[in-house]
Amino acid sequence: MAKPNILMVMADQLAPHFTGAYGHPLVKTPALDALAERGARFDSAYCNFPLCAPSRFSMMSGQLPSAIGAWDNAAEFPASIPTLAHYLNLAGYRTVLAGKMHFIGPDQHHGFAERLNTEIYPSDFAWTPDWGNAGERIDKWYHNMDSLSEAGQALATYQLDYDEEVGFAAIRKLYDFVRNGDDDRPFFLTAAFIHPHDPYVARPEWWDLYDHDAIDLPQPVDLDSLDPHSRRIRQGIQSDTVGYTEEQCRNARHGYYANTSYIDGWLGRMVRVLEETGELDNTVVIATSDHGDMLGERGLWFKMNFFERSLRVPFIMAGPGIANTAVPNACSLLDLAPTLLDIAADGGTRVEPATPLAGRSLWDAATGGSDPIDEAIAEYTAEMTSHPMFMIRRGRYKYIHCDTDPALLYDIDTDPQEQTNLADDPAHAELAADFADEVAQRWDSDAIRDQVLASQRSRRLLHAAGNGSRISWDYSPAQDAANQYVRDHMDWAEAGARTRFPE
């Protein structure tokens, strides 16, 4: 049996709670719904770091962020670390990246044999936090309430420019895979978009899908009862000083819902191309995101915390061999690499990782079997804290630790909004103590903090020293204009026949 193609469509900052596929009563995601209706929906999938770059580095490498120095959005992703793209190259796949992967450093491929677009954010050390002055805002790139005050409609934005380019490039590549008869290898195409990431600005046709007055609002919260990290986030994003109105909140959520439908539209278009080209039945389609967005829940916005709407991600797979099932077990993006290795093996030789992967394969669960593990691990070492933060989700419980803060323990089954901290509840004292012991065994918090501080100092110095004369690491896609479309060394009739599909 031939190895299946793999198409992975990634949103940015999409929480599953705000999709129709995961039960939201308003948000329209027909393509995601259709994927879930014929495939496996993972109902407790998490990222391993609630911030863009570290989450993606962990996902790509199959390693925890602290194991590869993925400290924040300006931490270098070393070229020496094998990624799932490297492994799929070895398994005989054509590997292509369209869109954002937030690679930091001079290596802008990390195993992808072909890259179609540049990054949307800086690829250097510009966004390095400073734990030496952890209480100070870095106004140039910290999130703030502008994302809410500017929420609404527009005909064009830099984010729309980017995603239109990504979607066009990905769809043309899907056609190219079948128009190129000289290469019969299966493909692995990642199409990574920036929406529905803030600012929450949508085109009118997507905005108008929703009745503005019907947009739901966050549950009320007692701000005085917030944990210390939530208070740090509110200070960092200026929601405690600049603040926002109910109408701004509604606008932001309206724009987020609209842009979620926009990204769902691209997913639908790509699945339709697979149908048109006869490749759908031989393609595993995966839809996911790098992290979520609080959207005002618990008085918080964006990500950077371990609460469900920040840390959870959609994860849906459909394709050959995949069952129509809902998987309740906790899992994470760490599990993507081992899962893809199982897909790529397909009864043949499995590529063995250079070092053991930190995750587990979800292939048995996706194909209708059982998963004996119900666990996800996450870390956070970026802005708005001064010490490492750790999270363990096992079964129904989630435990959160930071050396500067009281412990947090939630029963996600009975308290999905995470309103009741059980860490000091006598009935859960033994469980909380066991989690605390496990954190101490898994992580050396002091050593990790020393590594983070040393890395920040080095990167901030390098960035300051390079201003004005540094060589850019930003990826510039090569465009072979001399061989595109019809040129003077081509027969126009032959070019037309070669690029037409079907013939």
Side-chain angles (χ1 to χ4, degrees), residues 71-89:
W71 307 123
D72 51 62
N73 267 347
E76 183 178 1
F77 189 20
S80 59
I81 295 174
T83 70
L84 55 85
H86 290 112
Y87 295 133
L88 291 178
N89 285 334

Side-chain angles (χ1 to χ4, degrees), residues 250-448:
R250 193 183 302 274
N251 273 340
R253 290 169 75 104
H254 191 158
Y256 185 92
Y257 295 175
N259 285 329
T260 297
S261 295
Y262 167 68
I263 290 303
D264 185 78
W266 277 116
L267 171 62
R269 290 176 65 180
M270 282 183 261
V271 170
R272 188 162 61 248
V273 172
L274 292 174
E275 288 183 292
E276 293 170 347
T277 57
E279 293 294 330
L280 183 61
D281 290 340
N282 189 40
T283 301
V284 172
V285 180
I286 301 171
T288 190
S289 181
D290 55 353
H291 52 75
D293 190 322
M294 294 300 292
L295 280 191
E297 299 292 344
R298 301 180 60 87
L300 303 175
W301 289 87
F302 321 124
K303 55 270 188 179
M304 301 169 289
N305 65 73
F306 292 140
F307 297 116
E308 290 287 283
R309 284 157 185 76
S310 168
L311 197 65
R312 278 267 309 278
V313 295
F315 195 88
I316 300 175
M317 303 171 59
I322 297 174
N324 183 209
T325 183
V327 182
N329 297 46
C331 60
S332 76
L333 294 178
L334 270 180
D335 303 325
L336 180 65
T339 304
L340 292 183
L341 288 180
D342 277 355
I343 294 172
D346 194 35
T349 303
R350 188 178 189 273
V351 174
E352 289 303 319
T355 55
L357 300 177
R360 68 187 191 271
S361 175
L362 304 176
W363 188 238
D364 283 347
T367 53
S370 61
D371 185 354
I373 301 175
D374 188 6
E375 176 183 283
I377 305 298
E379 305 172 334
Y380 188 77
T381 54
E383 57 266 27
M384 301 177 200
T385 184
S386 61
H387 287 70
M389 303 181 67
F390 310 110
M391 188 284 303
I392 301 171
R393 167 73 197 270
R394 183 173 296 115
R396 64 193 296 169
Y397 293 103
K398 177 193 289 184
Y399 184 79
I400 299 171
H401 171 89
C402 180
D403 288 350
T404 61
D405 305 337
L408 301 176
L409 176 65
Y410 298 104
D411 183 335
I412 302 301
D413 285 357
T414 62
D415 181 24
Q417 296 289 334
E418 299 166 290
Q419 298 291 324
T420 304
N421 180 14
L422 302 174
D424 295 325
D425 176 15
H428 293 82
E430 183 177 353
L431 177 65
D434 288 344
F435 271 124
D437 289 343
E438 183 176 348
V439 166
Q441 292 171 10
R442 279 183 177 270
W443 292 282
D444 185 337
S445 183
D446 290 339
I448 290 174

Side-chain angles (χ1 to χ4, degrees), residues 24-178:
H24 195 282
L26 295 179
V27 184
K28 299 175 174 64
T29 53
L32 203 62
D33 299 354
L35 205 64
E37 286 167 5
R38 66 182 180 90
R41 187 189 69 196
F42 291 81
D43 289 345
S44 298
Y46 292 87
C47 68
N48 303 100
F49 194 119
L51 199 64
C52 299
S55 174
R56 292 161 187 263
F57 299 175
S58 181
M59 177 193 75
M60 287 291 298
S61 65
Q63 306 293 343
L64 280 170
S66 62
I68 56 174
W71 307 123
D72 51 62
N73 267 347
E76 183 178 1
F77 189 20
S80 59
I81 295 174
T83 70
L84 55 85
H86 290 112
Y87 295 133
L88 291 178
N89 285 334
L90 291 172
Y93 279 74
R94 292 173 282 178
T95 56
V96 181
L97 170 61
K100 174 189 175 181
M101 202 50 72
H102 213 138
F103 290 148
I104 304 297
D107 183 354
Q108 289 293 305
H109 281 77
H110 288 284
F112 285 103
E114 186 178 2
R115 182 164 190 180
L116 307 180
N117 315 90
T118 189
E119 290 288 355
I120 192 169
Y121 293 143
S123 297
D124 60 10
F125 299 147
W127 290 2
T128 303
D130 183 7
W131 279 9
N133 296 286
E136 291 187 12
R137 275 186 50 82
I138 304 176
D139 287 325
K140 184 176 181 179
W141 55 267
Y142 263 34
H143 281 280
N144 60 35
M145 292 297 98
D146 288 350
S147 289
L148 277 70
S149 63
E150 296 172 5
Q153 302 180 62
L155 297 177
T157 66
Y158 75 87
Q159 288 180 296
L160 284 165
D161 291 347
Y162 189 79
D163 278 351
E164 291 292 308
E165 179 184 335
V166 171
F168 168 78
I171 284 177
R172 182 161 70 174
K173 181 54 65 173
L174 286 174
Y175 283 119
D176 286 348
F177 287 139
V178 297

Side-chain angles (χ1 to χ4, degrees), residues 232-252:
R232 290 193 295 266
I233 292 176
R234 285 180 51 80
Q235 180 183 18
I237 65 176
Q238 297 182 320
S239 63
D240 65 335
T241 52
V242 175
Y244 54 90
T245 67
E246 180 177 298
E247 182 60 16
Q248 288 173 336
C249 178
R250 193 183 302 274
N251 273 340

Side-chain angles (χ1 to χ4, degrees), residues 9-20:
V9 179
M10 286 193 71
D12 192 328
Q13 205 160 296
L14 176 59
H17 309 76
F18 304 116
T19 68

